[in-house]
Amino acid sequence: MLAALLVLTLAAQYYVNLRSARTNTRFMIEQRQAILAGVALGVKSLSSGEYLDDMRDEAKQADQAARVKNVIIVDEQGNIKDSLDKNQIPQLNPDRSYRYVKVKDISLPPLNSAVGLPPDNTPLPEGMNVVPENRAGSAGAFYFPVETDKGRPYVIVVLDSANTMSAVFRRQARQALLYTLAVLLVMTCLTAIVVWRFSRPIKSLSTAARRVAGGDFSYRVPGKKRQDEMGELTELFNEMTMKLGRTRELEAQLYNAEKAVVVSRLASAIAHEIRNPLNYINLTLDHLQSSFAPEDPQKQEKFASLTKQLKSEVARINDRITEFLNYSRPPKLHPEPIDLAALARDALRIFEVQTSETGVEATVTTEGSVPQVIADPDSLHSALTNLIINGLQAMDGSGGKVGVSLSSEDEGRRVRIDVTDTGRGIAAEDISKVFEPYYSTKETGTGLGLAIVKKAVEDHQGTITVKSKAGEGTTFTITLPVSGPGSIAST
């Protein structure tokens, strides 16, 4: 492409130079014809005795040939004997003598020989200044000596100032400069377009490389419509990025699978090693409450408080073990048609005492007709309960609102569940980590609650997302297929 632009530039410059050479040749021919026509007019006037003023028609032909400005006949004494300019012709005095205009008294351009005769020693009349040979192109008038029996008059042909050789050369130089600048401007614009066309995809590739290096495998370089090498490179880069993204997803799935195996083994060990002692401790506490309660009312109250607290801690440990087991075990779902509004109200009913004591307003709302879904009721109930617990804990007992909103989308093929609270919200840097196992911002949390919710939703081939703003609240959005996934039906 650049070679083509260079060839085009040279061709344009060659055309400009060729045109200038042809113009110069034509001008020199026309100028020579005009000079010869003017000389012939002057010689004819001398030989015929006619005045130039009487030969206006022939003078006009010479003038049209190359814009001859004037023809002057000067004698050896420098007197203008005849001229096309009426201000220079001889004037008749009262005594019948003639008063001549001197050639030195008029503004005469520099002279040059009309036919290139070799110089002789005969001096020219005063006022007829010949230009040096090295400046012959600047001559604006040409003289031709005529030998007669009455002396040696001179025929001077004065050209228009715009038709001197130097003026024409200056005009052509300006034109050539303008043409050259125009060609350079066009070539510069074309080069800029070519460079921009090639540099833009390179910049896009550079930006994409930085994005991919930062872990963003979803970025794609635009420019698939290009059919050149850059288009092929862009397509290969996008294909490479897509494969890297798939590889990263497979690595994440493998990592999660390995982690799930570890958690499963850990959960089994915990269930085996801890639950049996916990059951014994729980039974012992029940036996203590029924058989060894003190008779003193004050001591009995203290005894009941302590045993209740111990049983609560045992139950909390047992719940953590259950969370481990639920997260690590493969899903065993029993799908059936579910009324999500009834399920949501049942989940909120568990927390009626807590919400009334803390001043939290709990609501279930539906938007339009919400179809039933085919899902496991226990799994979804656990997921909603975890999200409600998460919202209540975020309000720290200071009052607020927690609500479950139900609606349909995708023309009734999916159901949307929004669980919203007005708690303290989630920091922006923690949003991407809330569903990771064992990640928690609470001092007493295990970090499995939201991970279990996400697993339950994905087991139903649904999706869950979160939007939150610190200090304003959080909204978890679940979408589920109405018909239920094929994997559920087969379990």
Side-chain angles (χ1 to χ4, degrees):
M1 180 64 74
L2 293 178
L5 291 177
L6 179 61
V7 171
L8 184 60
T9 303
L10 294 177
Q13 190 63 43
Y14 173 76
Y15 172 76
V16 171
N17 293 337
L18 181 62
R19 181 176 177 181
S20 298
R22 289 177 178 175
T23 302
N24 292 341
T25 302
R26 184 172 63 253
F27 170 77
M28 293 176 67
I29 292 174
E30 291 176 353
Q31 186 189 61
R32 181 61 60 184
Q33 291 174 347
I35 294 172
L36 293 178
V39 170
L41 188 66
V43 172
K44 184 177 180 180
S45 173
L46 288 174
S47 61
S48 64
E50 292 184 70
Y51 287 105
L52 292 173
D53 188 55
D54 298 332
M55 305 168 67
R56 284 286 177 182
D57 293 338
E58 296 183 32
K60 287 181 180 179
Q61 294 179 1
D63 179 60
Q64 291 174 356
R67 297 182 178 85
V68 174
K69 185 178 182 181
N70 195 7
V71 178
I72 305 173
I73 299 176
V74 181
D75 62 11
E76 292 178 295
Q77 288 74 36
N79 298 319
I80 297 178
K81 305 291 288 184
D82 198 359
S83 175
L84 290 175
D85 188 350
K86 293 182 179 181
N87 296 322
Q88 298 173 358
I89 61 177
Q91 300 294 325
L92 185 63
N93 293 321
D95 59 355
R96 309 299 297 176
S97 62
Y98 285 95
R99 177 168 49 85
Y100 297 98
V101 178
K102 294 288 186 181
V103 69
K104 66 178 181 179
D105 296 330
I106 66 173
S107 178
L108 191 66
L111 294 170
N112 196 8
S113 176
V115 293
L117 296 173
D120 55 15
N121 296 325
T122 304
L124 295 174
E126 186 180 1
M128 293 178 58
N129 301 316
V130 180
V131 298
E133 292 183 3
N134 59 352
R135 294 183 57 197
S138 62
F142 296 83
Y143 72 94
F144 181 78
V146 181
E147 297 292 342
T148 65
D149 53 359
K150 295 181 180 179
R152 190 182 191 189
Y154 297 89
V155 177
I156 300 176
V157 179
V158 182
L159 300 179
D160 185 50
S161 60
N163 288 274
T164 63
M165 187 69 74
S166 58
V168 171
F169 284 164
R170 285 194 300 270
R171 186 165 61 248
Q172 290 182 351
R174 288 194 298 269
Q175 291 178 350
L177 179 61
L178 291 176
Y179 291 150
T180 302
L181 290 177
V183 170
L184 288 177
L185 180 60
V186 172
M187 292 301 107
T188 301
C189 293
L190 292 177
T191 303
I193 293 173
V194 171
V195 172
W196 174 78
R197 180 173 173 81
F198 279 94
S199 63
R200 184 182 62 170
I202 293 176
K203 184 177 180 181
S204 299
L205 286 172
S206 176
T207 302
R210 286 193 295 269
R211 295 280 294 270
V212 172
D216 183 5
F217 296 103
S218 63
Y219 186 80
R220 297 293 181 267
V221 181
K224 291 184 178 180
K225 296 181 180 180
R226 294 179 64 108
Q227 302 298 325
D228 55 4
E229 292 81 358
M230 293 305 302
E232 183 178 357
L233 179 61
T234 298
E235 185 176 353
L236 291 174
F237 184 90
N238 288 337
E239 183 178 352
M240 178 196 70
T241 304
M242 183 174 61
K243 290 181 178 180
L244 286 174
R246 291 176 181 173
T247 302
R248 178 61 63 87
E249 291 177 0
L250 292 175
E251 289 176 352
Q253 293 175 5
L254 179 61
Y255 172 75
N256 290 332
E258 292 176 347
K259 186 164 61 175
V261 171
V262 173
V263 172
S264 178
R265 292 175 180 174
L266 178 61
S268 298
I270 290 174
H272 183 270
E273 297 294 335
I274 299 179
R275 265 192 166 170
N276 287 336
L278 286 178
N279 288 335
Y280 176 76
I281 293 172
N282 201 35
L283 291 174
T284 301
L285 289 172
D286 291 337
H287 180 66
L288 287 174
Q289 284 180 328
S290 61
S291 302
F292 296 94
E295 297 180 357
D296 186 357
Q298 291 184 349
K299 291 182 179 181
Q300 188 178 10
E301 183 180 355
K302 183 68 173 178
F303 179 81
S305 175
L306 291 174
T307 54
K308 183 179 179 181
Q309 185 175 357
L310 287 173
K311 286 179 68 68
S312 176
E313 292 300 315
V314 170
R316 188 176 67 84
I317 296 173
N318 197 46
D319 289 341
R320 297 296 175 264
I321 295 172
T322 302
E323 288 180 356
F324 275 110
L325 291 174
N326 289 339
Y327 184 73
S328 61
R329 288 173 180 170
K332 293 182 180 180
L333 304 178
H334 303 283
E336 61 182 64
I338 300 175
D339 183 354
L340 289 177
L343 185 72
R345 284 192 290 268
D346 185 62
L348 281 175
R349 193 176 296 115
I350 301 174
F351 307 98
E352 283 182 351
V353 176
Q354 182 178 351
T355 55
S356 62
E357 290 179 353
T358 57
V360 175
E361 180 184 351
T363 58
V364 176
T365 59
T366 58
E367 298 179 10
S369 177
V370 179
Q372 291 186 337
V373 298
I374 306 299
D376 184 273
D378 292 335
S379 179
L380 288 188
H381 188 277
S382 176
L384 287 177
T385 302
N386 271 313
L387 292 177
I388 294 170
I389 291 174
N390 195 74
L392 292 174
Q393 291 176 346
M395 287 183 276
D396 297 324
S398 58
K401 294 181 180 180
V402 61
V404 180
S405 176
L406 305 174
S407 61
S408 64
E409 59 182 25
D410 194 15
E411 298 181 352
R413 288 190 287 268
R414 297 184 72 85
V415 171
R416 172 171 172 160
I417 307 171
D418 292 311
V419 181
T420 305
D421 66 73
T422 57
R424 60 178 175 270
I426 304 172
E429 60 270 16
D430 296 328
I431 287 287
S432 60
K433 305 174 185 176
V434 293
F435 294 114
E436 293 183 4
Y438 313 113
Y439 179 82
S440 176
T441 58
K442 300 176 230 178
E443 295 181 358
T444 59
T446 62
L448 282 175
L450 292 178
I452 291 173
V453 173
K454 186 174 187 293
K455 185 174 184 296
V457 172
E458 290 178 348
D459 288 342
H460 289 82
Q461 294 187 0
T463 62
I464 181 169
T465 58
V466 58
K467 292 182 180 179
S468 183
K469 189 172 183 180
E472 295 186 6
T474 304
T475 298
F476 289 91
T477 300
I478 298 173
T479 63
L480 298 171
V482 170
S483 59
S487 59
I488 294 178
S490 63
T491 55

